[in-house]
Amino acid sequence: MEGLNEVLTLFLSIDNFIAIGVGVLIGVIVGAIPGLTATMAVALALPFTFSLAPVTAILLLVGIYKGGMYGGSVTAILIHTPGSPASACTLLDGYPLTQQGKAKKALQMALYSSCIADVLSNLALILFASYLAKIALNFGPPEFFWLICFSLTIIISIAGESVIKGLIVACLGIIISCIGMDAVHGTQRLTFDNYNLMDRVSFVPLLIGLFAIPEVLDFYLKKASPHIRAASSGVGLTMKELKASMSSIVRGSLIGVIIGAIPGTGATAAAFISYSDAKRRSPNRANFGKGELDGVAAAESGNNGVAGATLIPLLSLGIPGDVITAIILGAFMIHGLTPGPVLFQENLPVVYALFCGIMISSVVLLAVGHGVIRYFSLIAEIPKAVLLPIVLLFCVYGAFAVNNSVFDIGLMLFFGVVGYLFKITGFATAPFLLGFILGPMFEDNLRRTLLIGRGDPMIFFRGPITWCFIALTLLSLFFALRRYWLERIRTAP
Amino acid sequence: MPPLLKLFSRLLIAGASLSLIAPAQAEWPSETVRLIVPYAPGGTTDVLSRKVADLLQQEIGTVVVENRPGAGSTMATAQLARGGRGADHTILMASPGHTIGPVLYKNLRYEPVKDFRFIRNIIEIPNVMTVPANSPYDSLGAFVEAAKTKELTFSSAGVGSSIHMSGELFKTMTGAKMTHVPFRGSGEALPALLSGDVDVSFENMPTVLAHIKSGKLRALAVTSKEPSPFLPGVGTVSQLGADQGLGEFVTTAWFGLIADDSMPDEAVTRLQTALEKVMADPGFLEFVAQVGGEPAAQAGDAFRDYVAEDVERWSAVAGQAQIEE
């Protein structure tokens, strides 16, 4: 009873509620600006939390994180520019919906699926943290290797019109991801002695260039892109539509939770896995990529499902799963708390007060999101001749802001041209992105596995988790290829 | 008084008072000070820099923290070394990346010692030679013996991290057969150590301290010169491994402020005085204890010599370990 009292004293302070509200609002706005990611917002907010109480400080950062996850989808849906990497998958169906005048529907679907996934993810954190953390620890390089193999099979389902074209761009993405220092020996690969390429190709400039710039180029080169004006960009989401996507949302959330609990995989992969799973199961499979609400729901529930779950390895093991949780770990340390088993022993009331706040943050996200959708929808009303120069400005700024590097602006423009070439030649862009993200993970884990196993290939088959992912990979490949051949036979003259 | 004389005397007074103001205007800092963190947000360097900036502000006015990650801290350091406008108000939080970077990246356009002013070393954090709790090796001696006959593995936060280089140094000093398994950051490396996928790691103290205390990891030795008060009962590598050729083995992660060599003496002195106060602050000392480190002592030339020694050590290790140059 005394414990409960302490939790409530820690949690029920007006500061905490203000922190969550302000955090989520900042997150949504920053997340929605291309190039300004939730990671940056969390890093910038960190010094302001020094003077706050520990629980309030962490809740502010968690609020920004969650808001940012949703905010990134707004520009993905409205202007084909993912505000954050994790929302790259949302634009596959979100942007076509905007083009059809259904921006409001897409934004609402993104919000509701984000919030539902968030709640489920939080529940997983609160109820199963210690259990999921144990699974995460069993994820060594061989298990990761097969998880990445499984994720690579998704390329087939997001390849667009042609599987062969999809595989070609995915390979290009993998090649681009090889640029920079080799992770095992430190060899410089494909850098042509250019100092700026010695690390790796920066992700944010590539992302912005690939998706936003082709839209801008397309508009000015064709000068005929019709602007769709509908009353507040269409009607809102109906209950029936939400219900129809509910199973995708729940499955996406669970995928997000599992991926989130394993450090080092990330929300982008979760969104794509969830999307491809929903596509495989959907009767409207053919409509995916052309404006399917279920696609938005699956992508957003996948990436938001990660948000609560990344706190599982952080709180229970002290291991940050991504950059944002690494900053939150820093915040814990500044306030004299050490996440990990010791935190649960020594500061249990703080942990439970955080859990209360994290649950509340999902509700706040719903409220804030609801409030801002109205204004965000207006973006879809702005004539493109006015909107696109502003978008371009943000793109340049966003590409620069990540590393304060002018080279990155050039990189963004280069990938803009690449993206445009993909667009006019009918190559899908998403497999390129997936190749770029998964390529290094594939290579790293392949080489790590061989190093750990001292060259013995049997390590790839060392336990139930590896077998489970081998089976999933083979099944996924089998079904994808079967569908591909069936369609070829059907469309053959 | 004739009008002209009046004007002249007024001008004289005005001039005299201006000359009094002039030194005040030139006092450093005359603009906002920028503290560059050469790594991404999160992580020890970032958190430490933000803590220092927060306290430094009370002494010298606004300090803005900027993250400029890239190429293992060398990107930001190269920018700093270029000097130019604002360089006299820019400081950078250097760490072992500053001394390992030149070994790892070719075409660096700066000399890690010659091109900089060394303001003050702030904190030193030892690495801990750590094995999983279920490891068969319960002492440094037993580990070295095993590593000479069997091929063991050690993990690190990436090629060229202080964790990696400590492992390579260990190899060259003992003749142990160890394979390096690199991860991207300690966050990814830690699970492999906890689960026993790798045999040993020379991890930074803050990453493993809580796990050692909770019994999930076992500390064999610390890499600093003296034992750490945070791990009582754990000896140093140089003491415990003296018989195995490790008598000179000392590696610590250090974090200190450097600036471009164009920074004036006055600014360096002002920063050094301010940092003395920052480092005496109870909040700072609490933070240092939190990360398992100790306040560092070297300032100015002593700091420069310390860094120069580090550069020498790592280039020797890299040469022997055949890391790309």
Side-chain angles (χ1 to χ4, degrees):
Chain A
M1 203 60 205
E2 202 178 295
L4 182 70
N5 215 359
E6 203 176 335
V7 171
L8 291 177
T9 321
L10 276 170
F11 173 62
L12 288 177
S13 105
I14 188 73
D15 292 1
N16 290 345
F17 289 90
I18 294 174
I20 297 170
V22 170
V24 170
L25 188 64
I26 293 175
V28 171
I29 293 170
V30 171
I33 299 172
L36 295 189
T37 57
T39 315
M40 267 187 227
V42 172
L44 288 175
L46 184 63
F48 295 101
T49 65
F50 289 174
S51 54
L52 301 175
V55 173
T56 317
I58 310 281
L59 287 179
L60 177 76
L61 301 180
V62 170
I64 297 176
Y65 181 17
K66 298 202 163 189
M69 277 289 203
Y70 167 68
S73 69
V74 173
T75 39
I77 291 170
L78 293 175
I79 52 176
H80 205 254
T81 310
S84 58
S87 45
C89 187
T90 311
L91 62 71
L92 297 180
D93 281 286
Y95 186 66
L97 281 165
T98 299
Q99 285 178 314
Q100 292 159 22
K102 295 179 187 164
K104 198 172 175 187
K105 244 187 223 298
L107 286 173
Q108 284 183 339
M109 180 56 102
L111 177 65
Y112 297 145
S113 47
S114 293
C115 289
I116 295 169
D118 206 32
V119 170
L120 292 177
S121 187
N122 293 340
L123 285 175
L125 165 69
I126 294 166
L127 300 175
F128 308 116
S130 63
Y131 185 68
L132 283 167
K134 272 192 199 126
I135 297 181
L137 268 192
N138 285 321
F139 245 82
E143 288 77 16
F144 254 114
F145 171 78
W146 288 112
L147 169 67
I148 303 301
C149 283
F150 168 62
S151 308
L152 280 168
T153 63
I154 295 166
I155 289 172
I156 301 175
S157 68
I158 54 164
E161 308 283 310
S162 153
V163 173
I164 301 293
K165 280 183 173 177
L167 291 175
I168 292 172
V169 264
C171 287
L172 280 176
I174 293 173
I175 291 171
I176 297 288
S177 76
C178 289
I179 294 175
M181 200 173 74
D182 149 52
V184 175
H185 295 294
T187 318
Q188 298 292 338
R189 297 193 297 208
L190 301 171
T191 55
F192 304 101
D193 270 353
N194 186 326
Y195 187 74
N196 293 293
L197 290 173
M198 288 205 179
D199 207 12
R200 281 179 69 188
V201 170
S202 308
F203 189 27
V204 171
L206 175 130
L207 187 74
I208 299 176
L210 221 47
F211 290 101
I213 301 296
E215 288 303 307
V216 178
L217 283 176
D218 198 41
F219 176 74
Y220 287 104
L221 290 170
K222 282 190 186 151
K223 286 189 182 162
S225 187
H227 181 64
I228 289 143
R229 290 186 70 103
S232 202
S233 277
V235 281
L237 190 72
T238 63
M239 205 53 190
K240 204 174 145 206
E241 286 165 327
L242 184 63
K243 265 190 190 157
S245 290
M246 202 45 100
S247 66
S248 296
I249 295 175
V250 173
R251 259 197 308 273
S253 311
L254 295 181
I255 291 170
V257 166
I258 293 167
I259 299 280
I262 305 165
T265 324
T268 318
F272 277 105
I273 294 178
S274 166
Y275 180 85
S276 113
D277 176 66
K279 184 178 176 182
R280 194 163 44 224
R281 290 168 193 274
S282 171
N284 299 333
R285 201 175 301 136
N287 197 34
F288 269 72
K290 294 173 189 153
E292 175 66 36
L293 267 175
D294 209 27
V296 175
E300 277 301 297
S301 56
N303 72 35
N304 273 272
V306 169
T310 41
L311 296 173
I312 293 173
L314 179 70
L315 291 177
S316 52
L317 303 170
I319 296 170
D322 56 15
V323 185
I324 296 190
T325 40
I327 304 171
I328 296 177
L329 174 67
F332 270 104
M333 284 165 63
I334 278 174
H335 287 284
L337 300 167
T338 311
V342 184
L343 185 72
F344 280 81
Q345 283 160 19
E346 290 175 3
N347 303 86
L348 201 60
V350 171
V351 175
Y352 280 107
L354 278 176
F355 284 165
C356 294
I358 288 167
M359 280 309 276
I360 296 288
S361 70
S362 306
V363 182
V364 174
L365 175 62
L366 184 69
V368 170
H370 219 76
V372 295
I373 276 184
R374 186 177 325 172
Y375 301 102
F376 278 137
S377 307
L378 295 177
I379 295 176
E381 308 275 302
I382 302 171
K384 281 200 170 172
V386 177
L387 181 67
L388 289 180
I390 300 173
V391 170
L392 193 59
L393 191 73
F394 271 115
C395 290
V396 171
Y397 176 70
F400 174 76
V402 185
N403 295 327
N404 287 323
S405 151
V406 179
F407 179 82
D408 282 352
I409 300 176
L411 208 60
M412 175 207 59
L413 294 174
F414 169 77
F415 283 109
V417 175
V418 171
Y420 183 70
L421 292 176
F422 285 164
K423 195 180 162 99
I424 55 173
T425 47
F427 284 89
T429 317
F432 182 88
L433 185 68
L434 216 54
F436 182 79
I437 296 171
L438 296 178
M441 290 190 194
F442 178 87
E443 188 201 341
D444 286 357
N445 286 296
L446 174 68
R447 295 175 75 177
R448 269 177 214 150
T449 307
L450 289 170
L451 286 170
I452 287 172
R454 297 158 183 94
D456 179 9
M458 288 319 286
I459 194 171
F460 284 104
F461 312 98
R462 70 172 179 183
I465 302 180
T466 54
W467 283 111
C468 170
F469 278 103
I470 292 169
L472 279 173
T473 310
L474 293 175
L475 277 176
S476 173
L477 263 183
F478 171 74
F479 284 114
L481 290 175
R482 195 182 68 143
R483 197 177 316 123
Y484 175 64
W485 286 115
L486 287 178
E487 260 168 44
R488 277 197 72 161
I489 293 166
R490 199 164 47 90
T491 52
Chain B
M1 199 186 282
L4 201 64
L5 193 64
K6 207 171 171 178
L7 180 71
F8 181 71
S9 62
R10 274 184 189 167
L11 276 177
L12 200 70
I13 293 167
S17 51
L18 263 182
S19 69
L20 281 175
I21 296 167
Q25 263 181 348
E27 192 176 296
W28 193 92
S30 57
E31 52 185 271
T32 305
V33 174
R34 288 186 306 159
L35 199 174
I36 309 290
V37 180
Y39 292 98
T44 314
T45 317
D46 184 57
V47 174
L48 169 68
S49 304
R50 289 176 191 277
K51 188 80 192 176
V52 168
D54 194 42
L55 295 169
L56 201 56
Q57 296 212 78
Q58 295 161 16
E59 306 296 328
I60 60 166
T62 316
V63 177
V64 179
V65 177
E66 268 181 42
N67 293 86
R68 282 199 202 158
S73 88
T74 59
M75 205 83 102
T77 315
Q79 264 177 4
L80 181 76
R82 229 176 282 154
R85 231 189 96 237
D88 55 343
H89 282 79
T90 309
I91 49 181
L92 182 138
M93 186 63 81
S95 61
H98 183 75
T99 50
I100 299 172
V103 178
L104 210 60
Y105 296 92
K106 46 185 178 178
N107 296 346
L108 279 196
R109 296 182 202 112
Y110 64 85
E111 293 271 337
V113 179
K114 240 178 27 198
D115 293 347
F116 300 93
R117 299 292 313 251
F118 291 83
I119 299 163
R120 199 187 201 295
N121 196 4
I122 294 177
I123 175 173
E124 281 185 281
I125 306 177
N127 291 13
V128 189
M129 184 180 175
T130 317
V131 293
N134 60 2
S135 165
Y137 315 113
D138 54 4
S139 71
L140 181 99
F143 184 89
V144 176
E145 284 314 311
K148 279 182 179 161
T149 50
K150 267 198 283 189
E151 199 165 303
L152 300 179
T153 51
F154 72 102
S155 61
S156 86
V159 181
S161 59
S162 73
I163 306 165
H164 170 209
M165 299 305 270
S166 301
E168 295 292 353
L169 183 64
F170 189 87
K171 264 170 75 179
T172 51
M173 289 177 92
T174 58
K177 286 187 254 173
M178 291 203 298
T179 308
H180 175 222
V181 185
F183 288 81
R184 289 185 198 264
S186 285
E188 280 188 34
L190 190 55
L193 184 65
L194 284 167
S195 65
D197 270 341
V198 291
D199 297 308
V200 70
S201 181
F202 294 83
E203 259 295 350
N204 295 137
M205 174 87 88
T207 315
V208 287
L209 191 56
H211 297 283
I212 293 170
K213 283 187 175 159
S214 70
K216 288 204 166 78
L217 293 174
R218 191 187 305 146
L220 295 185
V222 288
T223 64
S224 46
K225 207 177 264 176
E226 303 291 330
S228 164
F230 301 99
L231 286 174
V234 178
T236 66
V237 176
S238 52
Q239 285 168 355
L240 299 172
D243 297 340
Q244 275 104 350
L246 290 163
E248 300 290 312
F249 187 101
V250 178
T251 67
T252 46
W254 53 270
F255 301 86
L257 288 174
I258 61 170
D260 179 47
D261 56 1
S262 65
M263 182 174 267
D265 286 337
E266 182 211 352
V268 174
T269 318
R270 176 92 175 82
L271 275 166
Q272 282 168 342
T273 323
L275 283 169
E276 287 301 328
K277 286 188 189 156
V278 166
M279 290 175 64
D281 186 280
F284 176 79
L285 294 172
E286 204 178 295
F287 173 80
V288 174
Q290 177 78 17
V291 295
E294 281 179 66
Q298 307 84 347
D301 289 342
F303 184 25
R304 171 191 297 267
D305 297 342
Y306 178 89
V307 173
E309 208 178 291
D310 221 33
V311 173
E312 237 167 75
R313 172 178 17 192
W314 295 138
S315 46
V317 173
Q320 276 157 333
Q322 293 177 323
I323 293 170
E324 283 288 318
E325 209 169 336

